[in-house]
Amino acid sequence: MRPSRTGTPARRRTLSRPRALVFGAVPVVALLAVAGFAPLPYSVARPGQTTDVLGTHGGGEVISPSGAAVRKTSGQLRMVAIQATAPDAGIRVGDVIEGWFRKDRAVMPLEAVFPSSMSDAEIAQHNVAEMKSSQRDATTAALRFLHRDPDRVKVRLRLDDVGGPSAGLMFSLGIVDKLAGDGSGGDLTGGRTIAGTGTIDADGTVGAVGGAPLKMQAARRDGASVFLVPKAECAQVRPAPEGLRLVPVSTLKGAVQALRALAKGGPVPGC
């Protein structure tokens, strides 16, 4: 419509625009209202539990070797987990917004945390299977590093309430410490509380796992002064919480060497 010379239609046109904006905003407001109550395809993670693999858990030793002399250890080697909301948790917009603004939360797409197209029960079974596979690889890597015969030395690992492969590195280090210590009669920990994360292959290669920043917070919360992190994740964990030293590792051999150097006050790589 063209503006009228008399001004009357123009006045009507001017008045009708705010009304159009108001009515046009109704669907948007309605959409936001619906989104506020509708579940979203995200999971909110937070720092989880830590467990000393040199200690006890669930009524028994976490690491129980047989067929070889077992050392009495001091210090702690803590594996670290994150706690993530399940796919059916019903994450809402408010949960996502809160997670974005909190340093002790991480908002991640569901498919980045859980296998797709699986029920909660299937996910739990999948995580347990990954943990068992990780435990086997951790045992093989540790015995190979120590040049121990796997037909003679057996290792039982007990940690059934944590799923996934991220405790592999710490399991291997725990086995090494219980069977050989630092190789010179001392403890691999040097008496410290050391935490860490990382998968491990049977050949001793340490892999990234994700969630390292949250795990680092859990480690410091539970008294760790050193955190072993897969080298590939160094950029994700800086800066570290005050009082927590970051040590990047890429192999079991490198992790053992770093802990030996740390115990003796020698140079140790950092992130």
Side-chain angles (χ1 to χ4, degrees), residues 131-151:
M131 171 62 87
K132 295 298 184 184
S133 177
S134 174
Q135 290 176 347
R136 289 192 296 270
D137 287 343
T139 300
T140 300
L143 295 182
R144 284 179 177 176
F145 174 79
L146 295 173
H147 304 292
R148 302 294 181 96
D149 185 351
D151 293 326

Side-chain angles (χ1 to χ4, degrees), residues 17-175:
R17 185 173 182 182
R19 291 178 183 174
L21 290 175
V22 170
F23 289 112
V26 170
V28 176
V29 173
L31 180 62
L32 290 176
V34 172
F37 293 98
L40 300 175
Y42 292 98
S43 177
V44 179
R46 66 187 68 195
Q49 74 179 67
T50 73
T51 305
D52 178 21
V53 300
L54 296 177
T56 61
H57 185 76
E61 296 285 330
V62 175
I63 299 175
S64 302
S66 59
V70 179
R71 300 178 62 256
K72 183 177 180 179
T73 61
S74 67
Q76 298 181 13
L77 287 171
R78 288 193 165 271
M79 60 76 58
V80 189
I82 61 172
Q83 185 177 12
T85 55
D88 62 354
I91 298 301
R92 304 294 198 262
V93 169
D95 302 314
V96 173
I97 294 174
E98 181 187 21
W100 280 337
F101 288 96
R102 291 186 58 164
K103 293 182 179 180
D104 62 344
R105 298 288 188 274
V107 179
M108 297 174 286
L110 276 175
E111 63 268 19
V113 184
F114 300 103
S116 60
S117 304
M118 284 190 180
S119 67
D120 286 357
E122 289 171 334
I123 289 171
Q125 293 175 354
H126 174 80
N127 286 339
V128 169
E130 281 200 323
M131 171 62 87
K132 295 298 184 184
S133 177
S134 174
Q135 290 176 347
R136 289 192 296 270
D137 287 343
T139 300
T140 300
L143 295 182
R144 284 179 177 176
F145 174 79
L146 295 173
H147 304 292
R148 302 294 181 96
D149 185 351
D151 293 326
R152 300 189 60 180
V153 180
K154 304 295 182 183
V155 181
R156 179 185 178 186
L157 299 175
R158 180 200 304 267
L159 193 60
D160 297 331
D161 60 346
V162 178
S166 65
L169 170 63
M170 302 310 288
F171 279 136
S172 286
L173 290 173
I175 295 169

